[in-house]
Amino acid sequence: MTSDLPATPSPDHRIRVLLVEDDRPIRERMSAILRAADPIELVAAAATLAEARALCAAHVPAVLVTDLKLPDGSGLDLIHENRRLYPAMEIMVVSVLGDERSVLTAIEAGAAGYILKDSAAIDLVGSVLDLVAGRSPISTSIARTIVRRVQNRPDSPSATPPTEPVPSLTERETDILWGVAKGLTYGDIAERLGISRNTVLTHIKNIYRKLEVNSRGEAVFAAINHNIINLKG
């Protein structure tokens, strides 16, 4: 059953993070980085899908950082489940998998960020802070994968028209979604449009409902595919 409760906040406003990584040396290194960051509280670190499920239920973190390949299952299942149970939870993938299918499937499942483990320098703390601020941290090569996917889609007049109707967003909703796609925080968008942050959040909820999505990354991906927004503009 879906929970209406937000991810559990820390009393001192620290960002509660749960890490899921099966490789012990990598898990310990990433855990040390997160524990050393003042704004962050690492509530737990899991090595398996089963452990992650139990720890998510016990702690309900504000941010879930997860690998995709786990010894007893897929991190995608964890993303799906937590997106359904805890809509306010921010989710980021840190994986060695950078192929188009893995990336797009994770985004469609509800991940708002996707970082490669083999990146020259993974700014783990910065990525977590970006997530909480309303941005979507994505490795450069991952962004190129998404761009290639969008550029190669059949947009010609002779292409087969989509079977599903294009969702209808208001002009204000489109403006807000464009800001999200550009990496602006909800506060930035509110200031840019001259409205309150709460109003932006209300529009975001309406956008998610109309696009039938559960995350910023999924909303942007759907909007680009439906030609609702154009990032070249």
Side-chain angles (χ1 to χ4, degrees), residues 18-20 43-61:
L18 192 147
L19 173 66
V20 185
V43 295
T48 67
L49 179 59
E51 288 178 1
R53 283 170 168 158
L55 290 170
C56 279
H59 296 284
V60 192

Side-chain angles (χ1 to χ4, degrees), residues 19-23 26 30 46-49 52 64-80 91-117 142:
L19 173 66
V20 185
E21 168 59 56
D22 67 303
D23 186 281
I26 295 177
M30 294 174 68
T48 67
L49 179 59
L64 171 66
V65 178
T66 184
D67 195 357
L68 293 181
K69 296 180 67 176
L70 300 172
D72 57 340
S74 171
L76 290 172
D77 293 332
L78 186 64
I79 294 172
H80 271 296
I91 303 175
M92 180 173 70
V93 171
V94 179
S95 175
V96 296
L97 301 175
D99 61 283
E100 180 178 301
R101 180 177 181 183
S102 296
V103 173
L104 296 179
T105 302
I107 291 174
E108 290 169 350
Y114 200 115
I115 306 296
L116 292 178
K117 287 183 187 176
I142 299 300

Side-chain angles (χ1 to χ4, degrees), residues 207-215 218-219 222:
I207 291 169
Y208 283 9
R209 175 179 54 79
K210 290 181 179 180
L211 296 181
E212 298 183 348
V213 299
N214 298 298
S215 72
E218 193 178 352

